Amino acid sequence: MSNTLGMYRTVKRLGIPDSNIILMLADDTACNPRNKFPGCVYSNAARNLDLYGDNIEVDYRGYEVTVENFIRVLTGRVDPSVPRSKRLLTDDRSNIFVYMTGHGGNEFLKFQDNEEISAFDIADAFEQMWQKRRYNEILFMIDTCQANGMYSKFYSPNILATGSSEVGQNSYSYENDNDIGVAVIDSFTHHILQFMEGIDKTSQKTMQDLFDVFDPVKIHSTPGVRSDLFHRPLSQTLVTDFFGGVSQAEVFLPLIDTKTSMPPNGLDSKQPRAQDDPQDDAVDDDSGVFPSIRGSYDADLLALSSGKISLSSQDGMPARGARAWTSIALVGALVVWVGIRTRAKR
Amino acid sequence: MDFHYTFSALVAARALLAFAPLPDALKYSQQLSSPLTSYARLKEGVYLFSHGIDPYSGGLFRHSPLLLSAFTTLLPLKDPISKLLWTACDAAAAWSLVKIWRLRQRVGKSSRDGLIAALYLLNPYLFLPSLALSTSSLENTALLVAVAFACERRSSASILLLAILTHLSFSSIIYILPIFLLLTSSPVSNLASPRPFALDFKGLRKAVLPLVGEYFAYTTVLTAASTLVCGGSRAWVEKTWGSFFLLPDLTPNPGLWWYFFTEMFDHFRPFFLMVFSLHLLIYVLPITIKFQHDLLYATFLMAGVSATFKPYPTLSDPGLFLSLWSLFPETYSYLRHPIVTALIHLHGSLLLPLFNHLWLATGTGNANFFYASTLVFGIANGAGLIDAIWAGLATAIPVKDGDWDVGQE
């Protein structure tokens, strides 16, 4: 469980809100009666950080974590009674990070001791998502025994996958805690989390940098990467594209230039684009949202630039000054006229 | 000469106060500036205009285009110059008030001149909005100078200033009838001996119609000037004059309209806008007819009506009403509840900024607090208006003292 919680914490730290994370925990180690530290889950033997803590939001827990629910969440075919927090509300601009961990084998992952999900199921689910435009890019990460088999069956575009061990290999845990009595985190996940410690929201580290730190000797298994379905070069794909909720803003020059006349640009070219990078933990989503930076004042300016509001002085300053002076001259003339009339009457 | 010293001292004190650093609480106070009179919005509009954007295409700028042209040509809109200008306008208004007093009393100068000027320049309701550079001070100046010219029978000057005042604040059309009739009569006090208006209907038509024609002519020229400044577009009409009828901006102010219309369903809005606007108009004829013997008093009462029922009042409007009261000492002994009015005014004027702060700054109150304080303030204004009407009428009624009827001349 600390695998998932570690990823969850990382992704939250980098900016993905709970509303964009679907956390599925089948096991409740934190509240297990045999947990020596009730309500706490640690990821290292020194017990530095309690991953469970006070403010985690678990969407599917215990017996709700089933293959059927997982596939339903991915494909969006949920019962109308399912609340929004348990739905994957992504669209075609969302990047999804799918992280799975547990006991697994060649092309399967065990759920709840009585069922398993196969690589074909996940591949078909992703294809359904592609057909329904439910994702822009997917990062699929899996930490089980013989993990690399799980991503071998994908056939939909824009999927980047990585697993902890080759087919026929086991994945190992990182260290044991003698007080709790079990291993606290797995090796592959620990390795990735170590790398992520050095990442913050502004980091420009790429996925290639992440994959370069995979060391089979340290991890005790051979991690794999599948990038043939991925359309971008890994050296240009930022880690925060998947792990962080970072939006990018572009700054344009001021619209109003008093010297030149208005450029007749359409609204689209002037609209700042923001790339949102949704991240997942177990499964989480981040629907691409264009942050609205415009207040009503800017909206008027933008509408002006697209020629929708007629500009009173397209010709610039001289005409404006002339108009103002003429109108003041009119008022002055009135004053003079009134003065003359008053003088004449007296 | 004594008055001149007093006057100069007051104006100098006001100028000094104007140049003292002004706290933000006053600069952006909703009691002192309304959306139609705020200095920040004026600066915004002038900036937009000088950068080639029509300031009336948005909903922020609601000042008259004449102010636009004035501040982009004659005077730049810089803080020190504006402060001097506003102080000068207040000085002109106080001077006009003294002139009206002297004409009413038919004296060249009196011992009360200094007091009257002080009652204008030191009235907190008037000098606080002036410090905040709210254009309502300019409106007050225009009105007082117009009334002063009317008392002097300088009809053209008075009508021109009324036309300018209409452009600055459309709700001042309620002053037209009393001031025109004042132009054809005299400001001398007739409260104690009311008599019907000197002119009959035909004479009235002969006297007033040319004035009305002149007023419309001046207004048309000013409208043409305003349209010219805006480059031929008439969008400014809806934004400036239309604000009085359509109430587009529901920023809180000390008036009675805004809260009512925040709660209004859109379905009923046109009806109630019409009702509120008509309400302002219905006072014109009755007050003018009832006080046809003393039209300066009728003008004073219209100022009270405007203060209470205007769409976007600031503290300047009741301030004008209270300062004008100094012109009518003959009514003081007939006031029924001056202390109550004064205390409710004090109460309301303390509650207004307090509840505004509680609602908008600290967040421990809500809009109903501030609305209640505007109701108290409305009661204060209403009590003052009612008392003024009563005292004006009661001045005419002689008091029995044994066998004698004691009247007043």
Side-chain angles (χ1 to χ4, degrees):
Chain A
M1 205 163 107
S2 60
N3 290 352
T4 321
L5 286 175
M7 284 292 172
Y8 172 78
R9 290 276 178 202
T10 302
V11 149
K12 267 180 83 163
R13 174 173 66 85
L14 291 174
I16 311 256
D18 270 318
S19 57
N20 290 5
I21 302 177
I22 295 185
L23 183 58
M24 302 172 111
L25 298 177
D27 197 9
D28 197 5
T29 6
C31 302
N32 193 298
R34 296 190 302 178
N35 186 354
K36 190 163 180 241
F37 303 97
C40 303
V41 173
Y42 298 107
S43 63
N44 60 353
R47 293 194 289 276
N48 288 332
L49 178 65
D50 174 18
L51 291 178
Y52 204 72
D54 284 332
N55 59 342
I56 69 169
E57 188 180 294
V58 183
D59 300 297
Y60 289 85
R61 55 173 79 241
Y63 291 121
E64 290 173 345
V65 181
T66 61
V67 173
E68 181 191 343
N69 279 349
F70 179 63
I71 305 248
R72 281 190 184 280
V73 162
L74 280 182
T75 55
R77 298 175 189 276
V78 290
D79 195 76
S81 62
V82 169
R84 275 179 77 90
S85 59
K86 284 177 155 176
R87 293 177 189 234
L88 185 66
L89 299 166
T90 51
D91 58 16
D92 64 322
R93 296 296 311 149
S94 311
N95 291 358
I96 308 181
F97 170 45
V98 182
Y99 176 80
M100 306 181 76
T101 185
H103 287 296
N106 190 358
E107 295 175 7
F108 73 88
L109 176 76
K110 191 174 91 156
F111 269 62
Q112 297 283 12
D113 278 341
N114 57 358
E115 61 179 357
E116 60 196 34
I117 190 170
S118 81
F120 297 95
D121 297 331
I122 304 185
D124 288 338
F126 282 171
E127 177 61 19
Q128 276 198 47
M129 290 170 75
W130 175 253
Q131 295 293 334
K132 285 160 74 174
R133 300 275 178 270
R134 277 168 73 78
Y135 72 89
N136 177 37
E137 291 168 356
I138 290 183
L139 173 65
F140 181 77
M141 190 180 287
I142 180 157
D143 187 353
T144 65
C145 300
Q146 305 185 53
N148 294 355
M150 283 300 277
Y151 60 68
S152 56
K153 299 295 179 234
F154 295 157
Y155 55 95
S156 313
N158 294 359
I159 300 182
L160 178 61
T162 176
S164 59
S165 55
E166 289 294 338
V167 173
Q169 265 188 347
N170 292 336
S171 289
Y172 295 96
S173 62
Y174 181 63
E175 63 179 3
N176 289 341
D177 181 337
N178 291 327
D179 287 318
I180 298 177
V182 293
V184 285
I185 197 167
D186 287 340
S187 192
F188 177 66
T189 306
H190 172 83
H191 215 71
I192 293 186
L193 290 178
Q194 286 294 101
F195 177 81
M196 299 305 288
E197 287 295 314
I199 304 283
D200 62 13
K201 281 192 203 176
T202 64
S203 169
Q204 298 297 306
K205 289 256 162 73
T206 65
M207 294 304 290
Q208 190 60 53
D209 295 329
L210 170 63
F211 296 145
D212 283 343
V213 303
F214 286 173
D215 183 0
V217 174
K218 284 209 193 123
I219 297 178
H220 304 297
S221 56
T222 313
V225 174
R226 182 175 176 190
S227 56
D228 59 309
L229 296 168
F230 199 64
H231 62 135
R232 287 196 283 159
L234 292 180
S235 50
Q236 287 172 17
T237 309
L238 294 181
V239 171
T240 51
D241 282 353
F242 289 105
F243 283 86
V246 174
S247 40
Q248 299 175 23
E250 298 179 38
V251 179
F252 291 95
L253 294 174
L255 286 176
I256 305 303
D257 188 357
T258 55
K259 300 278 186 297
T260 66
S261 58
M262 276 319 142
N265 283 334
L267 218 53
D268 296 322
S269 63
K270 289 286 185 213
Q271 195 175 31
R273 291 175 297 115
Q275 285 170 301
D276 288 44
D277 307 281
Q279 299 311 308
D280 283 336
D281 214 343
V283 174
D284 62 21
D285 72 276
D286 187 6
S287 45
V289 177
F290 287 97
S292 158
I293 60 143
R294 298 180 281 147
S296 60
Y297 178 65
D298 280 312
D300 283 336
L301 285 184
L302 286 171
L304 266 177
S305 72
S306 64
K308 290 200 179 97
I309 298 182
S310 65
L311 211 46
S312 39
S313 86
Q314 203 82 35
D315 13 280
M317 268 168 26
R320 210 166 41 243
R323 285 205 319 266
W325 276 109
T326 315
S327 80
I328 277 291
L330 262 178
V331 180
L334 260 187
V335 175
V336 168
W337 158 260
V338 164
I340 294 176
R341 267 193 70 139
T342 314
R343 204 132 300 219
K345 262 205 253 174
R346 283 181 166 247
Chain B
M1 281 302 113
D2 202 21
F3 166 64
H4 288 283
Y5 290 146
T6 321
F7 190 73
S8 318
L10 284 167
V11 175
R14 172 68 79 84
L16 270 176
L17 198 57
F19 281 95
L22 191 70
D24 269 355
L26 285 183
K27 250 196 277 193
Y28 302 111
S29 167
Q30 290 164 344
Q31 282 79 255
L32 305 178
S33 336
S34 70
L36 304 185
T37 62
S38 160
Y39 185 65
R41 291 183 186 229
L42 182 61
K43 278 202 289 194
E44 174 88 15
V46 168
Y47 177 86
L48 287 175
F49 181 75
S50 50
H51 283 79
I53 304 173
D54 181 15
Y56 295 105
S57 55
L60 200 68
F61 183 68
R62 297 192 185 277
H63 294 260
S64 167
L66 298 178
L67 287 176
L68 255 189
S69 57
F71 285 112
T72 49
T73 55
L74 296 175
L75 290 167
L77 197 70
K78 301 253 189 308
D79 269 358
I81 301 180
S82 301
K83 292 178 179 174
L84 278 176
L85 177 66
W86 256 254
T87 311
C89 285
D90 276 343
W95 187 267
S96 310
L97 196 60
V98 172
K99 209 156 59 155
I100 298 172
W101 162 256
R102 286 174 175 171
L103 287 167
R104 188 171 170 83
Q105 303 298 322
R106 284 180 291 188
V107 292
K109 58 181 168 74
S110 76
S111 55
R112 275 207 190 179
D113 297 342
L115 184 64
I116 307 258
L119 279 172
Y120 188 87
L121 288 169
L122 296 180
N123 186 348
Y125 281 168
L126 286 169
F127 81 72
L128 282 176
S130 176
L131 288 183
L133 298 177
S134 163
T135 58
S136 51
S137 310
L138 304 183
E139 293 163 21
N140 282 353
T141 306
L143 179 66
L144 280 175
V145 177
V147 174
F149 281 144
C151 295
E152 281 184 325
R153 299 284 203 118
R154 285 185 172 176
S155 55
S156 291
S158 170
I159 294 173
L160 175 63
L161 273 159
L162 264 184
I164 293 179
L165 180 61
T166 310
H167 266 265
L168 291 178
S169 158
F170 195 71
S171 66
S172 52
I173 54 174
I174 59 175
Y175 294 113
I176 292 180
L177 186 61
I179 294 186
F180 281 2
L181 292 179
L182 181 60
L183 272 170
T184 60
S185 65
S186 118
V188 173
S189 172
N190 272 325
L191 285 177
S193 44
R195 56 185 81 100
F197 198 67
L199 300 168
D200 65 345
F201 195 62
K202 236 168 71 169
L204 205 62
R205 223 171 27 180
K206 218 173 82 154
V208 169
L209 271 184
L211 302 176
V212 172
E214 212 178 325
Y215 172 76
F216 276 115
Y218 293 159
T219 313
T220 314
V221 175
L222 289 175
T223 311
S226 307
T227 315
L228 184 64
V229 163
C230 293
S233 87
R234 283 192 301 277
W236 63 271
V237 177
E238 193 208 326
K239 300 286 173 181
T240 55
W241 291 349
S243 309
F244 287 92
F245 297 106
L246 300 172
L247 214 78
D249 191 320
L250 289 172
T251 308
N253 52 61
L256 297 170
W257 290 48
W258 65 274
Y259 189 81
F260 199 81
F261 284 97
T262 59
E263 313 252 304
M264 179 69 58
F265 292 125
D266 283 339
H267 188 64
F268 296 113
R269 228 183 124 88
F271 172 69
F272 278 101
L273 283 171
M274 180 203 70
V275 167
F276 274 58
S277 304
L278 274 183
H279 181 79
L280 202 55
L281 283 177
I282 58 175
Y283 288 97
V284 177
L285 269 184
I287 289 188
T288 316
I289 292 174
K290 193 67 186 166
F291 285 94
Q292 57 188 272
H293 49 277
D294 191 342
L295 284 151
L296 187 60
Y297 204 76
T299 314
F300 158 66
L301 291 176
M302 292 318 298
V305 166
S306 168
T308 321
F309 299 116
K310 224 170 108 158
Y312 287 105
T314 59
L315 285 185
S316 311
D317 304 296
L320 179 68
F321 178 65
L322 293 176
S323 290
L324 278 174
W325 220 330
S326 58
L327 297 174
F328 309 105
E330 62 267 27
T331 61
Y332 293 166
S333 50
Y334 296 96
L335 289 172
R336 285 195 300 175
H337 45 79
I339 299 216
V340 176
T341 310
L343 286 177
I344 305 181
H345 255 289
L346 185 65
H347 192 52
S349 61
L350 290 175
L351 282 183
L352 276 171
L354 174 68
F355 283 156
N356 196 323
H357 179 81
L358 276 186
W359 171 30
L360 295 172
T362 57
T364 52
N366 59 41
N368 292 319
F369 288 42
F370 186 65
Y371 171 56
S373 63
T374 64
L375 287 182
V376 172
F377 199 63
I379 291 178
N381 284 327
L385 181 63
I386 290 174
D387 219 5
I389 297 178
W390 173 270
L393 293 173
T395 317
I397 300 174
V399 174
K400 265 202 173 314
D401 183 11
D403 284 335
W404 299 93
D405 284 338
V406 178
Q408 221 189 85
E409 177 48 49

